[in-house]
Amino acid sequence: MDEADCPRVRPRRDGDLVRDPRRSIAIGMAMLAGVAALAIAVASDVEAPPILQWLDDAWRRTALGWPGWTRSAGEAFERLGAGVVMVPLRIVVAIWLVVRRRRWDLAAWLLGWILADVLTAVLKPGLARARPTAMDPENPFTSFPSAHAKTAAQVAIGLVLVASSPWRSRRGWYALAAVWIVLMATSRTVVDHHWLSDVVAGSLLGAGAALLAAAATQLVRDGRRSRRDT
């Protein structure tokens, strides 16, 4: 996302999350703009969004035609990406950052978490899109965007940002994060709990929130240090 070759490697400081905060903010905003565009398309006709529903239906037919073991794998990913696993993981990362006294990294981690979850909490009931297959009628959660995909992306990208240095190559870490995000997103369509557009939106939302939070936090840190040094 911001991995242009750096002329020199330097020690990582608390809050060193991206190489170019303004560029990362632009990328994060572009991702959230993609979510907004998908949300507008869904809102235009929540039962059959124009063009989008044709793509969703085509992907659904393809995914449901895959071998049976893919559904078992999808169900395993569903359990792995559930709140009972992801919330404790997020808390463990936060505690680790507290113990390491990395308050700026902690702020970015928490802000990305909050931003991703708040946006999802607004969009789900606001659009109230039905899932591909009927779920428990007592379950208040609707289809757009996918919360599993959102959390997978926010956690994966957030971990890359707080656990590695922007002054070294992150290509391998981003590749692993991308694999995780794609597998989680695909799994939600294989078990027929989400449309393709739901998981694309969730993935963009989680990744965009993590990146935007990190870049904004770093700009605030740099601004404070600049004022302090003048």
Side-chain angles (χ1 to χ4, degrees):
M1 292 182 181
D2 60 341
E3 297 303 323
D5 290 336
C6 191
R8 63 190 178 90
V9 174
R10 58 183 190 248
R12 187 192 192 282
R13 301 176 299 174
D14 178 29
D16 283 349
L17 296 156
V18 295
R19 289 181 184 169
D20 186 343
R22 287 180 173 79
R23 179 169 177 263
S24 294
I25 284 177
I27 295 173
M29 291 298 293
M31 290 180 174
L32 295 185
V35 177
L38 289 170
I40 291 170
V42 170
S44 69
D45 184 350
V46 73
E47 293 185 0
I51 301 177
L52 210 56
Q53 192 62 53
W54 179 85
L55 293 171
D56 285 340
D57 287 337
W59 176 261
R60 185 184 184 218
R61 288 192 297 271
T62 299
L64 294 183
W66 290 348
W69 66 265
T70 60
R71 183 174 180 89
S72 298
E75 291 169 350
F77 270 89
E78 181 172 40
R79 292 189 292 271
L80 191 59
V84 69
V85 175
M86 289 292 107
V87 170
L89 174 59
R90 285 159 148 179
I91 293 172
V92 166
V93 173
I95 292 172
W96 171 63
L97 294 172
V98 169
V99 171
R100 296 291 299 273
R101 298 181 180 179
R102 289 165 54 180
R103 63 190 184 99
W104 289 108
D105 290 346
L106 174 65
W109 176 256
L110 295 178
L111 181 58
W113 178 357
I114 292 169
L115 180 59
D117 282 17
V118 167
L119 289 175
T120 302
V122 170
L123 287 170
K124 274 187 171 292
L127 293 174
R129 188 186 194 187
R131 294 178 183 268
T133 53
M135 302 285 286
D136 181 353
E138 300 301 319
N139 187 335
F141 299 110
T142 53
S143 193
F144 185 97
S146 165
H148 274 69
K150 171 268 302 178
T151 301
Q154 181 267 312
V155 169
I157 299 302
L159 279 174
V160 172
L161 296 172
V162 301
S164 66
S165 171
W167 314 121
R168 297 179 181 275
S169 176
R170 285 172 161 170
R171 290 187 180 90
W173 296 117
Y174 275 133
L176 287 175
V179 169
W180 163 251
I181 292 168
V182 170
L183 287 175
M184 180 59 72
T186 303
S187 74
R188 303 306 291 149
T189 64
V190 170
V191 297
D192 208 27
H193 290 175
H194 283 285
W195 304 103
L196 176 63
S197 54
D198 298 338
V199 299
V200 170
S203 299
L204 288 173
L205 195 160
L211 189 60
L212 187 60
T217 300
Q218 188 167 326
L219 280 178
V220 172
R221 183 206 65 173
D222 292 346
R224 289 191 177 184
R225 285 181 175 173
S226 178
R227 289 192 296 272
R228 184 187 61 194
D229 294 341
T230 55

